Amino acid sequence: MGGKNKQRTKGNLRPSNSGRAAELLAKEQGTVPGFIGFGTSQSDLGYVPAIQGAEEIDSLVDSDFRMVLRKLSKKDVTTKLKAMQEFGTMCTERDTETVKGVLPYWPRIFCKISLDHDRRVREATQQAFEKLILKVKKQLAPYLKSLMGYWLMAQCDTYTPAAFAAKDAFEAAFPPSKQPEAIAFCKDEITSVLQDHLIKETPDTLSDPQTVPEEEREAKFYRVVTCSLLALKRLLCLLPDNELDSLEEKFKSLLSQNKFWKYGKHSVPQIRSAYFELVSALCQRIPQLMKEEASKVSPSVLLSIDDSDPIVCPALWEAVLYTLTTIEDCWLHVNAKKSVFPKLSTVIREGGRGLATVIYPYLLPFISKLPQSITNPKLDFFKNFLTSLVAGLSTERTKTSSLESSAVISAFFECLRFIMQQNLGEEEIEQMLVNDQLIPFIDAVLKDPGLQHGQLFNHLAETLSSWEAKADTEKDEKTAHNLENVLIHFWERLSEICVAKISEPEADVESVLGVSNLLQVLQKPKSSLKSSKKKNGKVRFADEILESNKENEKCVSSEGEKIEGWELTTEPSLTHNSSGLLSPLRKKPLEDLVCKLADISINYVNERKSEQHLRFLSTLLDSFSSSRVFKMLLGDEKQSIVQAKPLEIAKLVQKNPAVQFLYQKLIGWLNEDQRKDFGFLVDILYSALRCCDNDMERKKVLDDLTKVDLKWNSLLKIIEKACPSSDKHALVTPWLKGDILGEKLVNLADCLCNEDLESRVSSESHFSERWTLLSLVLSQHVKNDYLIGDVYVERIIVRLHETLFKTKKLSEAESSDSSVSFICDVAYNYFSSAKGCLLMPSSEDLLLTLFQLCAQSKEKTHLPDFLICKLKNTWLSGVNLLVHQTDSSYKESTFLHLSALWLKNQVQASSLDINSLQVLLSAVDDLLNTLLESEDSYLMGVYIGSVMPNDSEWEKMRQSLPMQWCEELDNPPIFLIGFCEILQKMNITYDNLRVLGNTSGLLQLLFNRSREHGTLWSLIIAKLILSRSISSDEVKPHYKRKESFFPLTEGNLHTIQSLCPFLSKEEKKEFSAQCIPALLGWTKKDLCSTNGGFGHLAIFNSCLQTKSIDDGELLHGILKIIISWKKEHEDIFLFSCNLSEASPEVLGVNIEIIRFLSLFLKYCSSPLAESEWDFIMCSMLAWLETTSENQALYSIPLVQLFACVSCDLACDLSAFFDSTTLDTIGNLPVNLISEWKEFFSQGIHSLLLPILVTVTGENKDVSETSFQNAMLKPMCETLTYISKEQLLSHKLPARLVADQKTNLPEYLQTLLNTLAPLLLFRARPVQIAVYHMLYKLMPELPQYDQDNLKSYGDEEEEPALSPPAALMSLLSIQEDLLENVLGCIPVGQIVTIKPLSEDFCYVLGYLLTWKLILTFFKAASSQLRALYSMYLRKTKSLNKLLYHLFRLMPENPTYAETAVEVPNKDPKTFFTEELQLSIRETTMLPYHIPHLACSVYHMTLKDLPAMVRLWWNSSEKRVFNIVDRFTSKYVSSVLSFQEISSVQTSTQLFNGMTVKARATTREVMATYTIEDIVIELIIQLPSNYPLGSIIVESGKRVGVAVQQWRNWMLQLSTYLTHQNGSIMEGLALWKNNVDKRFEGVEDCMICFSVIHGFNYSLPKKACRTCKKKFHSACLYKWFTSSNKSTCPLCRETFF
């Protein structure tokens, strides 16, 4: 109805607005309608008052405020929230006077909206209120009384952020000192509001039942009640004491209401919690009033004692304690034994129901406040209470929570101590507490391992300590005597249960461990118990220091705080002193108990070999190692030590029972082989050592044991135990540093390193333990000192280094991974922990060997990867330690010096492949990175300087570089690319190096070296000039005197050749002028010399290369000179000979002659005589034969160069004859063209085609840029000129593939099988040459399938025929490769392929293969195309191609140079311009793949439009849009123009049909005429042709029925949509169909067409019932889609 864009009523210029309507109403009637609230207490909460003259009041409010306040009365939450935020902002930004105008209306709005259901609105309201307060400040005072009740409720909001915001606003209005005064000012109003909420309000009065859902109404009501209860509590807390009396009457009226007391049983836990908090506050602040209401308070609180809600519990128990404290006669109003105690018992028996940490700290205060009359009979009450308390430990919740169990245990002991204190002297209770509670409790804990980890034993120790302290300090003898009796009785009973646990033959592991832990705690009580408890949960006795409450906290708000009048009179808690001395009351019974347990244990060990008892004995002795215990352990046994022991040892044995026990028992146990874990036995050893008098006695005993008695694993365990414990280490330090152990360890290292590793397979674990022992003594330090003596550390390291050094020289069969691995572990631990150890020379020698092993490849060291990784970590830890030593320097470090020498030798003297160099550089990189961290800033520079070669070493390395090195830098081979990548990673570039030194004299230096040495230096000059763009003025001074270059030397020759590209035309003429006379009259020897014919011809060729010599007669003359050389010195010309016998000089002359002939063909325009042509062509063929016969020598640079220039000459001749026209033929000898075609061209290709196959077969992994494949470019370019006839007459060896389906003859299949795989070759020239050759064959291939077309008759359901199998198998391989390269890239994201990379070759080969397949497809007939396209559809190859094309084609396929062209002209794109697949031209290489991809896409759309359309329609939406947008913009216009042009220029004639085209409207009009029938059809091409459907419209129609006419239109539309061909082909198919119809052939009743639209077959399958005929393909589709085998027409079964 009210849309924004609808036409308004005339004169109504503004849209409807409720606010404006209200304004107009007010003007007309003089009143403003009020926004009235609802409910009993909020009927006046609307903003605008419903009174007369409201416009005057309203005018006091700013218009913006007025609008915001009106929004606040809306129901929508978002509106209110935004309005409140806007209100807060306006309060901050507007001036005070403006904001003050809002104050009269704010209380009503605030009171309503502060109770809003949405918590975000409530929070925003309080935040806005704070901003209002900060603005108006004291101006708020008149409105406080109407605000304060709701404000206090807001501070108690159940949504914490809202409550905090309200408190912030309150603090902004009143500082803490003024808050009580403000509350007192409004106390009556606050009380009234809160009482109304608690007593009068209901869910339906707080919210409108008509508009608010019931659930929301109830939630609001519950929240309001909760806030009201908490607000009352806050009122009591904040109100000054002198103001409380005035409120007593109001609270009386509240407490007289039954509804108030019912809140204690309310179903909502938040309400119950708030209720109990209020009760606590009332008890504290108005105790007299609560005493008067005792009959209601007591049942309400005490009968709720079993409430287990986690929200309610803290407040409830606080209220319980306040009730007990405030109301002395509270028990008169409840039945304690029937109502309260059973509930309490149930709660604590159930472990507090998950709230033990809350409830149990209250139990001691609770029982302390119970009157004696209630607890009689005491014995039963306390027994039941403690029994229930202990039972709480067995609940699942308590067992799984350590905090819960700790709370129960703590409460048990607190209550036990309290009961004992209160009832001391009453024997029954004392016995009950010990016999029935404490001892059974300890017994149960000993059985349960889960409880042993808590604080139970510490609590027990604290309890005993308190009783012992009380007994010692108590002045009342009777009390002291009673406590001593309790302790004696306790120890008797404890002894009984401990002995019972240990006396069992199969002693329970957990029980034994529990007894052990218990005795340890009782021996050394921990004083940390108090600090580990929760501070707020600690119950303190009366004589302990009580923490005072904070001054401003007048009431209790959390558990465990001080309650007025609540103090307990109990015994003091013992604080243990640091000495840990035991009371006599504990010491004797504890020792007696230990001796009993030791006696029992040793008996079991002796009699039953009980390991469990032996472990217990170990733990026992660790805490109680005394002579008395060891005597007990020895019993009555006599000494049985071997007499061979030294006298000193014998005396010690007699004197000390611990030593006697050690020799008599412990050594035997240690040497038992079957025991795996014997650490506890070593603990017994340490216990025995503690009983020795001094260190010397201990050293003597250990030395004696080391010599004979102790095994290696025992020694390892003794030393391991000493490392972490300073006490144990102090006991054995003299022995560790002594000679006996040191020598034994050195011998161990020697033994391990020399031991035959094969012989120790059976004792692998013992072998590993010995290595671990060595590692331990080398790596562990105590107080920055080795465990053993330094001299022994040095000797062990020397032995390890010797072994590792031998490993370098071992063969793969001899290498021992294990020993190296162990040494690595030892060395790593040693370096990682050492401090100052590298000052030992042996350490640095070891480090050097580790570094060398890491810096060499695996082929040399024969070490596996995991060991190499270990070695690396080891030597890095050592170097890291070395460089961080502050007192070390390069001169002092033998490692740095020796490693630098070794690195220099590796680089200069060793032949490093890429892998070896990478390994070496990786190690050096790690080393240098570590050196960078050194505090010595010069260390890195000194080290690098010592590695760098000196001048003579540099010169030696330069001389070893090959000549082609500089050329290969442009297109380097794989191994050189690897080196370059390494340099790039290290950031070593010319620019970076130039910064380090002065390069101003670089050019002069290069010229001097070039003139002197030539070769590499000459090439570098050319590179430098080219890459650094050095001007000719800078270069010219270096070659100003041209005479100085003659006579020619190798250096001068190379310098001139390198400079030629940068010389001016005149300068080149000057050089060539000096060379021409020198070409005449040389002898055979001089002809090949540098200063003879070879050198001068080379300079002439260099000058001629840039077409600086345009004198035809001069060139002709030099040709005649060369011909004369052939006549005089024919043996110099390398015609059909073996090049292995040819000298470099002769090869050089031939290369320069061939170069001249190639240049001559390019630049000489004067006609040649027949004899000269014969010389050039015959020489060329003879040189090619030499090239063919010497393929084995291509690795020799000069032979490779000879092959290159020979192929170049053949290529130039082929190009010359290929470009001849009728005009140029007249200047040639008569029979020259025919001779070329019949003999020379045939000879070239019969030689080069086999060479191509051979070279590519030998060098599959060598790229085109490598020197080894330098001849590929000229050879492949020559092969592009091969004719189809020459290809078909090839003489390649047969290559046929088994099971390959083909209709091709063998010679043609061999050619395909030989050449097609070369499209995968990693060299672009080979791929392009093969493409050109196969391209010439493709049109010839479909005819062989056409001859066999009848075998693919319509008997098959969906017949398909594969394009040439060789291409399709190749395509399958290429698809897998492309999937790896492009598969992870989303369609539409353009991928840039790096030119000449491996991926480049894969993509190039793939696209060229598709160009060949599409060329083949285009040459096939319509029937064959249908079969081929069905095959492509089944294999989905075309789909993959299209996806890849949209990753390869550029977003903007426009030529870069067209950007500056005239805007009116259509820009040149990759679709309008033909792609020239040139081998030599590389300037457009970056655009090669994009252009080729566009070319393939163009061909695909042109030749397979139906398949592309099918793919496009089935693709996902994103791809659909990308393809549509790109094709419409760049391809459709080109294809439409070509299609229309092909119709216009078509020579195809139809009998009875004429076809015309209109280019401007993209229409084709076909008129079909037969007798009197005229049919005119108009074909409209879509804007996104060929993706979109072609529209067929009707023109003239004469003599044709409407239904038939529609059928024919539909058929033509179907043909044009679903056939892969041009419009003319579609029209031809349609005409053929119509012709058949007129000939009497009936339509297929499934597709309603005579000729099938895909396979072009006629209806042949007839139904035997109705005699109608159908296409086979149509029937197959009918049967499969309907799942029936009935005739589509008569529905009878089709036979």
Side-chain angles (χ1 to χ4, degrees), residues 262 987 1255:
K262 287 179 182 178
N987 206 22
V1255 169

Side-chain angles (χ1 to χ4, degrees), residues 1131-1145:
D1131 54 339
I1132 288 178
F1133 286 76
L1134 299 172
F1135 294 155
S1136 305
C1137 62
N1138 187 352
L1139 295 182
S1140 61
E1141 300 170 0
S1143 65
E1145 291 80 8

Side-chain angles (χ1 to χ4, degrees), residues 1300-1311:
Q1300 190 178 50
K1301 292 183 180 179
T1302 179
N1303 295 321
L1304 301 177
E1306 282 191 12
Y1307 75 92
L1308 206 48
Q1309 190 62 51
T1310 293
L1311 195 60

Side-chain angles (χ1 to χ4, degrees), residues 473-579:
T473 58
E474 183 61 51
K475 296 178 181 179
D476 184 2
E477 291 183 6
K478 185 179 179 183
T479 305
H481 179 69
N482 289 335
L483 280 172
E484 287 175 10
N485 288 337
V486 169
L487 288 168
I488 291 168
H489 185 56
F490 167 77
W491 281 109
E492 287 174 358
R493 292 301 312 279
L494 181 65
S495 180
E496 288 173 12
I497 63 169
C498 290
V499 168
K501 299 286 182 196
I502 304 301
S503 296
E504 295 175 10
E506 299 297 329
D508 180 51
V509 177
E510 302 299 342
S511 296
V512 171
L513 185 60
V515 172
S516 174
N517 291 338
L518 173 60
L519 294 175
Q520 282 182 354
V521 173
L522 293 178
Q523 165 72 1
K524 298 176 181 177
K526 297 179 181 176
S527 60
S528 61
L529 180 63
K530 292 183 181 179
S531 62
S532 68
K533 289 187 178 182
K534 284 189 175 179
K535 185 175 181 180
N536 63 352
K538 176 70 179 173
V539 177
R540 304 176 188 279
F541 294 99
D543 52 355
E544 293 185 58
I545 299 173
L546 283 165
E547 289 183 5
S548 61
N549 283 344
K550 293 181 181 178
E551 291 180 5
N552 61 337
E553 288 190 358
K554 299 295 182 181
C555 71
V556 175
S557 61
S558 64
E559 57 179 299
E561 293 181 4
K562 180 179 175 182
I563 299 174
E564 194 173 327
W566 169 23
E567 293 183 359
L568 306 178
T569 308
T570 62
E571 82 280 9
S573 174
L574 177 70
T575 304
H576 298 290
N577 57 26
S578 58
S579 64

